Amino acid sequence: MDEAWGTVVTTVGCQPIPPNSFYPRSQHPKSHIFNPQYGRVLKEYQLIYISEGRGYFESRSCKRQEIEAGSLILLFPGEWHTYEPSKETGWFEYWVGFTGERIDSLLKNGFFSLESPVYRLGFSSALIGMYEDIISYASQERAGYQQMISSIVLYMLGMVYYKNRNAAFTDSATIDKINEARDIMKQEIEKKTSPENIAQRIGVSYSWFRKMFKQYVDVSPAQYQANLRFLRAKELLDTTGLNMTEIAYRLNFDSASQFTTFFKKKAGIPPMQYRKEGLRFKK
């Protein structure tokens, strides 16, 4: 049942590593013990958060680099790696190990990379709180605890991805321009407003606008507008009695057939079938 959930937590804990002490310490889980000089290869993913101190990390796909307080390391199954706290400072480490097809899918689809396993998040009491929650649930082992703690791990990964993506955009003026453009798109779903026109209205070149929009939002301005039109089309099909020609006209398609082709490509079914299925469920 735990595996059927899609993610399973295999290990969790935390420990202080005082300055000038041997690492790993005797309290380190025996199944995960290793010699930092030679490194190791795990059969699971791990998220390791260093809340205090500093040290280093190295893996097969990532060159040796310093680790400072506030760094989070994502370890991958089958990937050689090694890490160790500095003798001068030691560190405080939190860890959680996990496996599952959900995480495999995130890696396969490019959300996380073997080449970039270190995230400079800074001190995060929220992240520490999540580790402590997992430790608490795992210690009590109440019914359904695996589903609870594995869901916390997914939330942690989401938070890491979110913070890392937004850290790449330090220019608030750029984000303001992109948000201004998105507001125009949302307000003018039923108008024939081109991305070029939007770029002109917010005072930037179209080439800059398209490049920065895609970097920040993950899709081009035209694709973003298409997604908004699709959501609006579903809303009109669900909440109005407008026929296909009327909806096509509202959303600035040249014809009902063009609208039908657009909708089927997005939804996998024609708009009339979508409406009929919605009415059936309402009954």
Side-chain angles (χ1 to χ4, degrees), residues 109-166:
N109 286 288
F111 288 97
F112 300 99
S113 164
L114 277 69
E115 290 75 25
S116 303
V118 179
Y119 301 87
R120 315 287 181 178
L121 304 180
F123 181 80
S124 173
S125 58
L127 190 58
I128 291 173
M130 283 185 267
Y131 276 105
E132 292 176 344
D133 284 345
I134 296 173
I135 292 169
S136 176
Y137 284 117
S139 299
Q140 297 173 38
E141 291 193 42
R142 293 181 177 178
Y145 84 97
Q146 262 288 353
Q147 285 68 36
M148 185 67 174
I149 62 178
S150 62
S151 296
I152 296 174
V153 167
L154 287 171
Y155 183 85
M156 293 168 72
L157 288 168
M159 186 183 79
V160 170
Y161 180 78
Y162 173 83
K163 285 181 174 290
N164 187 60
R165 281 298 309 276
N166 282 274

Side-chain angles (χ1 to χ4, degrees), residues 4-278:
W5 189 256
T7 310
V8 177
V9 173
T10 54
T11 177
V12 63
C14 63
Q15 65 178 344
I17 309 298
N20 300 309
S21 62
F22 180 78
Y23 186 80
R25 302 187 70 193
S26 58
Q27 296 96 326
H28 205 87
K30 291 183 179 179
S31 59
H32 296 73
I33 203 76
F34 72 106
N35 185 329
Q37 183 178 351
Y38 303 108
R40 68 178 177 188
V41 176
L42 294 174
K43 297 180 179 179
E44 64 189 14
Y45 299 90
Q46 280 198 12
L47 279 173
I48 300 171
Y49 181 62
I50 307 303
S51 61
E52 300 174 20
R54 66 175 186 271
Y56 78 90
F57 169 81
E58 181 182 0
S59 71
R60 182 179 58 194
S61 304
C62 176
K63 65 181 181 181
R64 184 184 177 99
Q65 58 184 280
E66 282 194 20
I67 297 297
E68 300 172 343
S71 297
L72 184 138
I73 307 166
L74 176 57
L75 304 180
F76 299 90
E79 175 82 350
W80 177 88
H81 63 269
T82 186
Y83 56 88
E84 187 176 23
S86 165
K87 292 291 184 183
E88 290 76 22
T89 64
W91 68 24
F92 197 104
E93 62 183 17
Y94 293 84
W95 72 86
V96 59
F98 47 96
T99 61
E101 58 186 22
R102 289 193 184 186
I103 314 303
D104 294 339
S105 177
L106 293 176
L107 179 61
K108 181 180 177 181
N109 286 288
F111 288 97
F112 300 99
S113 164
L114 277 69
E115 290 75 25
S116 303
V118 179
Y119 301 87
R120 315 287 181 178
L121 304 180
F123 181 80
S124 173
S125 58
L127 190 58
I128 291 173
M130 283 185 267
Y131 276 105
E132 292 176 344
D133 284 345
I134 296 173
I135 292 169
S136 176
Y137 284 117
S139 299
Q140 297 173 38
E141 291 193 42
R142 293 181 177 178
Y145 84 97
Q146 262 288 353
Q147 285 68 36
M148 185 67 174
I149 62 178
S150 62
S151 296
I152 296 174
V153 167
L154 287 171
Y155 183 85
M156 293 168 72
L157 288 168
M159 186 183 79
V160 170
Y161 180 78
Y162 173 83
K163 285 181 174 290
N164 187 60
R165 281 298 309 276
N166 282 274
F169 290 87
T170 56
D171 184 358
S172 60
T174 297
I175 297 174
D176 288 344
K177 289 292 184 183
I178 292 171
N179 287 334
E180 185 182 353
R182 289 195 289 192
D183 286 341
I184 293 172
M185 292 175 183
K186 290 171 185 175
Q187 292 167 12
E188 301 183 7
I189 296 174
E190 296 185 12
K191 293 183 180 180
K192 211 164 188 176
T193 307
S194 69
E196 291 85 354
N197 175 263
I198 293 172
Q200 185 179 25
R201 286 163 65 179
I202 64 175
V204 298
S205 70
Y206 174 66
S207 59
W208 179 93
F209 172 57
R210 190 181 188 284
K211 176 184 176 182
M212 299 310 297
F213 191 97
K214 189 167 185 178
Q215 283 184 13
Y216 190 73
V217 184
D218 272 343
V219 296
S220 70
Q223 289 173 313
Y224 188 83
Q225 285 181 299
N227 290 337
L228 289 176
R229 290 172 89 193
F230 173 62
L231 293 174
R232 180 61 174 150
K234 291 203 295 183
E235 183 182 358
L236 293 172
L237 288 166
D238 287 335
T239 62
T240 75
L242 296 174
N243 61 39
M244 300 305 107
T245 300
E246 290 170 326
I247 293 176
Y249 177 77
R250 284 274 295 267
L251 296 177
N252 289 289
F253 289 94
D254 293 335
S255 64
S257 61
Q258 187 189 52
F259 166 63
T260 298
T261 300
F262 166 83
F263 191 93
K264 187 175 180 180
K265 185 177 180 181
K266 288 281 188 181
I269 57 175
M272 279 300 294
Q273 183 180 341
Y274 174 85
R275 172 174 275 174
K276 287 178 181 178
E277 290 182 357

